[in-house]
Amino acid sequence: MDDIHVDSVSVNLLTAAADKQSLVRSGHSVTDTILRGLPSRNLCRLESSCRTLDSQGSAYSTRSAHDRRHAFPTMRISSVASRERRHEDHTVDIVDSILSTTCMTDGTARAERRCSEAIRDMAMGMAMKRSVKLRTEARIHRQKRGCFGELKYSTAVKWKRFKEDVNNLLFSAELWRTPLLSVTGKFGSGVHSYFLFLKYILLLNIPTCLLLMTFIFIPHVMHRCTALEQILPSQNLDFTGLELITGGGFLSRTEMYQGVYANGTVQPIPGYNYNMKMSYLLTMVAYYLLCLIVIASSMARSYRKAYIEKDVSTSNAFISKVFAGWDYGVTSSEAALLKQKSIYFSLQELLSRYRTTERRSLLKVVELLVWRVLMTLLSLFLLTCSCYLVHLLQYTKSLQGTNKKLLDGLLIPGCVTLLNQLLPALFTFIARKEGYNSARGGLILTMLRSSTLHALTLGTLMYYWYRDGICDPKKNTRCPSCWEVNVGKNVYQLVIFDFLLSLVITFFTEFMWKVLSSVCCRKTMSPPQFGIVGNALELVHSQTLCWLGAFFCPVLPLIVILKLVMIFYIKKVTVILFGDVPCLQLSAMRNCRPSMNVWSTSRAWAHFMLVFFLGFCTALCSTGVAVFMVKPSQGCGPFRKQQSVYDTVNELVRYLMMTQHWLGTLVSLVTAPGIIAGVLVALCTVVYYAKTLASGKQQVVQLLREQVMMEGRDKTFLLKLLQSIASNDVSAPSWLSCSTSSGHADHTIRSGFIKPTT
Amino acid sequence: MGSSGSVFSEEELTAYQDVTYLTSQQILRVYERFTQLADDVGRDTRLPKRLISELPELRVNPFRDRIADIFSPDGESIGFEDLLDMMSVFCEQAPPSIKLEYAFRIYDFDEDDMLSEGDIATVVRRLTRESPLDDRDMKQLVGNIMKQADLDDDGLLSYAEFEHAVYKAPDLIHLFKIRM
């Protein structure tokens, strides 16, 4: 974000700036008329853009809506011109230019759609758009379409209407529209992006959960029903509320965990066979694959929007602040006041940074560096400590054996969750002290550190959980009978604890602040901010847990969905109830520098997606370890008595080879490690190619910028010449001989000069 | 929403959808809000533009008078279709090009189709209304913006220069939204 660099080319033009401004606004009638008649000010770019689309031919239909709109720039009618000319002339002009572009008038449905979209994209009032549309349709020469052409046309029109109806339906079913509107109105787009992220995760979980339910949960329940087994075991049915927290008790013998699933064929409906083992593995593969596709595409899209399309090198912090500073979604006056003050402070900060040319004294630089290194070491130390703590707790637990007391069992999840909730707050504090120039640098660092913390703690836990699975009954008499159920139980406990603890912390901090502020210290203490980073990281963490545990506990996505819905309403209430104290005094405002104002919304989304993807990769890796390396338990689960879960794939291949040879060969090819490595290498090459292409284009953009600047100088030169001619000043003005580069041009102009007619 | 559903026929709704970026639900919602602005309002009523500035979505916007000016064709009153135009530009589905065009018009206070230094200064003053910048800061700010954005160096920002400078700013498209 440190992009207040001074463009070297424009420095030279600084001195002449004032002179040129007076030239342009001189009110000289000749120059004025010429300037107003310049084609660049009466832009009509429809023809050229259509030509490029025609040359690309079929590429039109495959472009995304975004690309298409950018390729079709609006036809501008400047407000000055619109005042001076009549409405009728304008309409005629526009209709003429539309009709001259062949890609919109060849009578096909696609041409009509392009035509109507071009009209819609014009920045005019509705009345004018309607008259243009009527005239265009009246004058378009409809080609005779044969039978087939008519059919194609009518299907295309019907398809368009159908798509519009689906769109309308999706919009009307927009989840949580009113609560989101009220939150955005009061707090702006930063907080809105957090709630959008929550909605995104929820909408990701719903179809995947449905997938798991339909293919794993429901068939097995039906099978047990038809087999007349009792779903809930008759013994040990003492339901105390504690089972909901520990996930143990009678729940460990239900379909909630992997343990109870049969390992062969079952009959959900009598007469129909259903291979539970294959279905379990394949559904899990489909689940992770679906999540991967959705997240990877969202991440790619957001990265493109945030970093590639928004060219960081040419954007200017001042321009962004002034022209793109106001949040039009804000509707409450306190939020508006806050926004105005924050804009003021950011502008002041930018100006002061611009004035003190970034030459800090060497001492300060060294001091800052040392401080940053210290802080990094501190955070590494904290990470190691938390990891060691978890390791210690697990080790002592494994030494104790099966724990009798309830509290011992809950100690580890409680401790881990506490670490994961509190340390990110500490990391935020550390990052703020590190004195980064842009707050964004500090935030990225905090996000990375918190993600590392989550990964490390979860990694340590998984190591111990899987170690139970590798336990050899001959050497160790205390091997658990069904380690998969234990893993599932542990993850479930983590999820529940995470939820409960975040509830407790939210209410506790807000409540304490309210109490303290009403009793004393109102002016010095800043109200608790809705920390977008912290909350977003919590969401990522809970979703990582969900993915981690889905393999062992197929019902976990459903529980996470319920948790997300509850979190939405709770956060909404806390944000609106507790977070709306306006920071009106200047002193409070400084402390009150809200994180929401630092976030640029599109970058925020890109960062969330990145951390989300990292969490997914962590979960995928650990599940992969379970699938490939850990031996399933002998007595329970759909993979019992096998060497590893991956053996199922070999079994599937063998079966397919016998029945459908080609499918078997295909599956064995796809799962061969050589092929996968080759695909990865190819992908990396593609990414490298795209990156080199992008940097090449950036250089072209820079060259074009300089060219435009030169053209500007040319224009001013010519205008001055024209002015001097028009005022009959034939004797060479002094500035003509000044510019050495135009020395040659100056001779040719004077020699080919036409005498002014008086 | 029961009564407003019968105000528009299917063809009218489709015609509106063809010229705006709104869905039919959004169009009906806009109509509902339009009728609530004053008593006895129908489809063809033209309301004075100050009523539009009183809409809760626009009440705290520092540019609400400019927005009302731009979307009222005669400069005095706003009809339902003008309100539809406005909501169409500010809705989620509108493309960046339209938003940039109207942002340019909003910021062009003297309506000469170019952004001069006076226009930019007015924008800054509106944005920091409660705590104005002093003259030296203002001059520096405006000068820096001009230096960076004014490519042909005529002291004015044309639409093309504005588009080039602001299109790369990461936020205008996201923040230039009014949801109803």
Side-chain angles (χ1 to χ4, degrees):
Chain A
M1 270 268 254
D2 295 326
D3 36 25
I4 324 175
H5 64 278
V6 176
D7 200 335
S8 55
V9 179
S10 50
V11 168
N12 302 329
L13 304 172
L14 256 181
T15 45
D19 187 26
K20 281 159 189 158
Q21 201 161 30
S22 65
L23 166 71
V24 168
R25 282 135 111 305
S26 63
H28 205 279
S29 58
V30 176
T31 36
D32 269 355
T33 357
I34 290 184
L35 280 173
R36 247 181 292 153
L38 284 175
S40 61
R41 298 202 187 187
N42 298 303
L43 213 50
C44 179
R45 291 177 278 181
L46 276 175
E47 293 125 1
S48 56
S49 58
C50 230
R51 243 177 271 131
T52 48
L53 280 176
D54 270 344
S55 63
Q56 285 158 5
S58 60
Y60 179 78
S61 53
T62 53
R63 276 173 164 217
S64 69
H66 166 83
D67 288 338
R68 199 166 61 227
R69 283 188 174 126
H70 195 50
F72 248 137
T74 53
M75 181 181 165
R76 290 203 75 233
I77 302 151
S78 65
S79 46
V80 171
S82 66
R83 273 201 303 268
E84 294 176 357
R85 302 180 63 189
R86 281 175 42 227
H87 186 269
E88 292 294 306
D89 297 337
H90 265 310
T91 337
V92 167
D93 273 346
I94 297 168
V95 171
D96 282 337
S97 61
I98 286 180
L99 291 175
S100 62
T101 55
T102 51
C103 73
M104 295 204 244
T105 54
D106 55 10
T108 59
R110 191 195 281 183
E112 277 191 35
R113 192 183 47 177
R114 273 190 214 170
C115 192
S116 68
E117 273 177 12
I119 294 177
R120 188 171 63 167
D121 287 345
M122 288 186 196
M124 306 183 288
M126 200 181 289
M128 202 140 140
K129 282 189 200 176
R130 258 204 290 247
S131 64
V132 166
K133 208 172 159 87
L134 282 171
R135 281 183 191 229
T136 327
E137 281 174 3
R139 280 172 59 180
I140 260 184
H141 167 63
R142 286 232 163 78
Q143 287 176 350
K144 264 186 83 72
R145 296 183 218 106
C147 271
F148 187 61
E150 264 307 324
L151 194 67
K152 230 170 52 155
Y153 178 73
S154 56
T155 15
V157 164
K158 284 206 195 79
W159 175 244
K160 175 176 163 228
R161 290 285 167 234
F162 174 71
K163 273 201 295 193
E164 268 177 24
D165 287 338
V166 167
N167 222 13
N168 283 345
L169 204 66
L170 282 178
F171 260 80
S172 63
E174 198 186 328
L175 190 60
W176 289 328
R177 188 181 62 91
T178 336
L180 279 180
L181 268 182
S182 65
V183 166
T184 321
K186 285 198 165 191
F187 295 101
S189 304
V191 177
H192 181 70
S193 66
Y194 164 76
F195 283 103
L196 276 183
F197 188 50
L198 203 154
K199 197 164 103 167
Y200 171 81
I201 298 182
L202 184 72
L203 292 177
L204 172 67
N205 268 325
I206 288 178
T208 47
C209 173
L210 224 62
L211 186 76
L212 288 180
M213 290 288 124
T214 358
F215 289 104
I216 297 183
F217 188 74
I218 293 181
H220 202 262
V221 170
M222 283 168 61
H223 158 77
R224 288 222 282 168
C225 274
T226 53
L228 293 178
E229 275 179 43
Q230 285 172 309
I231 302 296
L232 300 174
S234 52
Q235 75 271 42
N236 290 351
L237 197 61
D238 43 354
F239 179 74
T240 58
L242 234 44
E243 264 84 27
L244 283 178
I245 300 182
T246 58
F250 77 96
L251 281 176
S252 39
R253 282 183 293 281
T254 59
E255 265 81 9
M256 194 154 134
Y257 300 111
Q258 200 189 49
V260 85
Y261 287 90
N263 81 327
T265 42
V266 298
Q267 294 196 335
I269 305 171
Y272 287 95
N273 279 340
Y274 188 79
N275 192 335
M276 199 68 227
K277 182 163 57 168
M278 290 295 170
S279 133
Y280 197 93
L281 184 65
L282 291 176
T283 318
M284 282 296 166
V285 166
Y287 172 72
Y288 283 108
L289 208 62
L290 185 64
C291 287
L292 178 70
I293 291 172
V294 170
I295 295 173
S297 59
S298 314
M299 196 177 81
R301 214 182 309 139
S302 68
Y303 178 76
R304 185 178 80 159
K305 262 197 220 155
Y307 283 98
I308 297 181
E309 285 175 3
K310 311 303 171 190
D311 185 3
V312 186
S313 62
T314 56
S315 80
N316 182 318
F318 285 118
I319 293 181
S320 321
K321 229 5 152 171
V322 169
F323 289 131
W326 184 258
D327 187 351
Y328 284 71
V330 159
T331 56
S332 84
S333 38
E334 291 117 1
L337 207 58
L338 196 67
K339 188 84 194 168
Q340 278 176 336
K341 282 202 182 286
S342 89
I343 291 179
Y344 171 71
F345 278 114
S346 337
L347 284 176
Q348 287 282 39
E349 206 176 338
L350 288 171
L351 281 168
S352 67
R353 238 193 297 158
Y354 184 68
R355 266 186 233 124
T356 64
T357 57
E358 294 148 19
R359 228 179 300 124
R360 283 183 248 169
S361 66
L362 190 65
L363 189 66
K364 263 196 102 66
V365 168
V366 168
E367 189 188 321
L368 198 66
L369 205 64
V370 165
W371 187 239
R372 281 191 194 167
V373 167
L374 270 175
M375 289 290 120
T376 320
L377 284 176
L378 177 66
S379 49
L380 279 175
F381 174 70
L382 283 170
L383 285 173
T384 337
C385 269
S386 47
C387 197
Y388 186 69
L389 181 67
V390 173
H391 159 78
L392 208 64
L393 285 171
Q394 275 282 12
Y395 189 67
T396 42
K397 179 180 171 194
S398 65
L399 283 182
Q400 277 174 5
T402 52
N403 45 313
K404 307 281 187 296
K405 286 188 273 197
L406 180 67
L407 231 56
D408 282 350
L410 295 182
L411 183 65
I412 292 183
C415 204
V416 169
T417 323
L418 203 65
L419 279 174
N420 281 320
Q421 295 268 359
L422 293 181
L423 278 185
L426 200 58
F427 287 144
T428 327
F429 180 71
I430 290 178
R432 215 180 293 154
K433 290 296 169 197
E434 276 181 342
Y436 279 96
N437 263 342
S438 64
R440 195 169 54 91
L443 286 165
I444 294 181
L445 213 60
T446 317
M447 283 184 118
L448 280 176
R449 284 179 186 152
S450 309
S451 321
T452 325
L453 173 71
H454 292 329
L456 278 179
T457 44
L458 285 178
T460 325
L461 286 173
M462 303 249 53
Y463 168 72
Y464 277 98
W465 294 341
Y466 290 157
R467 217 179 61 160
D468 283 346
I470 313 177
C471 147
D472 194 355
K474 289 189 219 110
K475 292 187 198 146
N476 197 342
T477 51
R478 280 196 306 246
C479 273
S481 60
C482 203
W483 64 269
E484 286 108 348
V485 172
N486 284 341
V487 174
K489 243 194 298 186
N490 286 324
V491 179
Y492 175 82
Q493 281 167 2
L494 277 177
V495 166
I496 297 288
F497 265 81
D498 188 49
F499 174 61
L500 290 175
L501 209 66
S502 67
L503 266 185
V504 166
I505 288 182
T506 317
F507 281 117
F508 184 71
T509 39
E510 314 284 354
F511 182 67
M512 287 307 292
W513 184 80
K514 270 263 162 171
V515 161
L516 278 177
S517 71
S518 58
V519 167
C520 77
C521 338
R522 177 166 241 246
K523 292 221 173 94
T524 51
M525 279 185 65
S526 58
Q529 302 297 319
F530 185 79
I532 299 178
V533 181
N535 282 298
L537 282 175
E538 266 178 47
L539 283 179
V540 171
H541 181 58
S542 85
Q543 189 58 30
T544 317
L545 284 175
C546 171
W547 282 320
L548 215 62
F551 188 69
F552 302 102
C553 172
V555 182
L556 202 59
L558 186 64
I559 296 169
V560 168
I561 287 176
L562 291 171
K563 176 180 161 186
L564 284 172
V565 170
M566 284 199 276
I567 284 182
F568 176 83
Y569 286 108
I570 291 167
K571 289 290 175 191
K572 181 177 87 89
V573 162
T574 49
V575 160
I576 290 185
L577 265 190
F578 294 112
D580 71 345
V581 177
C583 313
L584 286 179
Q585 287 120 356
L586 232 59
S587 57
M589 180 65 204
R590 292 223 188 266
N591 297 335
C592 203
R593 188 140 336 172
S595 55
M596 58 181 103
N597 283 331
V598 172
W599 278 110
S600 104
T601 324
S602 58
R603 294 240 178 97
W605 196 254
H607 294 146
F608 290 162
M609 279 293 130
L610 180 68
V611 181
F612 203 50
F613 187 68
L614 287 175
F616 178 75
C617 287
T618 326
L620 198 62
C621 282
S622 76
T623 317
V625 163
V627 163
F628 287 103
M629 295 195 218
V630 187
K631 186 162 167 226
S633 45
Q634 293 287 93
C636 63
F639 307 109
R640 57 191 92 165
K641 301 188 180 63
Q642 280 178 276
Q643 276 303 106
S644 77
V645 177
Y646 193 65
D647 284 344
T648 328
V649 174
N650 297 333
E651 212 181 283
L652 176 70
V653 169
R654 272 197 299 268
Y655 171 75
L656 283 175
M657 289 288 217
M658 288 194 297
T659 51
Q660 287 168 47
H661 196 80
W662 61 274
L663 202 57
T665 340
L666 187 69
V667 171
S668 61
L669 259 182
V670 161
T671 51
I675 302 284
I676 295 178
V679 165
L680 280 175
V681 167
L683 284 175
C684 287
T685 326
V686 168
V687 167
Y688 176 72
Y689 170 73
K691 199 92 179 111
T692 23
L693 207 65
S695 66
K697 289 198 174 163
Q698 218 141 352
Q699 283 173 1
V700 170
V701 165
Q702 190 58 27
L703 277 173
L704 287 172
R705 252 179 89 92
E706 289 177 14
Q707 215 173 345
V708 170
M709 283 192 201
M710 279 301 152
E711 293 294 320
R713 290 176 79 178
D714 286 349
K715 185 169 97 179
T716 341
F717 172 80
L718 289 170
L719 281 174
K720 272 203 170 160
L721 187 62
L722 188 67
Q723 224 174 28
S724 68
I725 293 165
S727 47
N728 284 334
D729 185 13
V730 185
S731 62
S734 57
W735 54 264
L736 257 185
S737 49
C738 261
S739 40
T740 50
S741 61
S742 57
H744 176 71
D746 149 279
H747 280 299
T748 48
I749 285 173
R750 276 207 261 161
S751 59
F753 191 63
I754 301 169
K755 284 215 178 89
T757 51
T758 40
Chain B
M1 266 227 292
S3 60
S4 48
S6 54
V7 174
F8 299 108
S9 64
E10 266 303 315
E11 292 90 36
E12 282 172 338
L13 274 182
T14 327
Y16 278 141
Q17 278 185 287
D18 277 339
V19 287
T20 61
Y21 297 99
L22 302 168
T23 63
S24 48
Q25 258 83 16
Q26 287 169 321
I27 294 174
L28 293 173
R29 228 178 271 148
V30 171
Y31 183 71
E32 206 183 316
R33 299 296 298 280
F34 184 70
T35 48
Q36 287 165 358
L37 277 175
D39 300 323
D40 204 18
V41 170
R43 264 177 76 180
D44 303 319
T45 333
R46 299 198 67 83
L47 299 172
K49 66 182 183 189
R50 59 168 178 81
L51 276 185
I52 301 297
S53 311
E54 299 300 309
L55 271 175
E57 285 85 0
L58 289 178
R59 210 183 305 137
V60 296
N61 197 315
F63 303 110
R64 59 186 179 276
D65 56 333
R66 281 297 300 157
I67 295 175
D69 276 335
I70 289 170
F71 287 101
S72 87
D74 55 3
E76 284 304 320
S77 59
I78 289 194
F80 167 62
E81 295 192 345
D82 305 314
L83 191 64
L84 261 192
D85 272 333
M86 175 162 44
M87 284 296 128
S88 162
V89 167
F90 283 113
C91 80
E92 298 258 354
Q93 304 96 284
S97 51
I98 275 262
K99 288 191 196 275
L100 282 174
E101 171 70 49
Y102 277 94
F104 183 76
R105 287 192 197 175
I106 289 176
Y107 295 142
D108 185 16
F109 282 90
D110 51 10
E111 294 202 344
D112 59 354
D113 205 40
M114 304 287 269
L115 291 183
S116 63
E117 293 186 351
D119 289 330
I120 300 178
T122 321
V123 170
V124 175
R125 267 196 292 270
R126 293 267 184 121
L127 282 176
T128 60
R129 182 172 286 172
E130 295 295 316
S131 26
L133 291 175
D134 59 10
D135 284 335
R136 185 175 71 120
D137 288 339
M138 183 69 89
K139 211 162 158 193
Q140 192 159 25
L141 178 61
V142 175
N144 186 290
I145 291 178
M146 275 300 183
K147 208 157 45 181
Q148 189 69 13
D150 190 9
L151 294 178
D152 63 1
D153 205 50
D154 56 358
L156 302 167
L157 292 181
S158 68
Y159 175 68
E161 288 165 341
F162 175 78
E163 186 186 17
H164 178 254
V166 181
Y167 188 72
K168 304 292 184 172
D171 267 342
L172 182 62
I173 315 302
H174 290 278
L175 296 180
F176 205 73
K177 285 185 188 150
I178 295 180
R179 301 170 192 92
M180 214 172 232

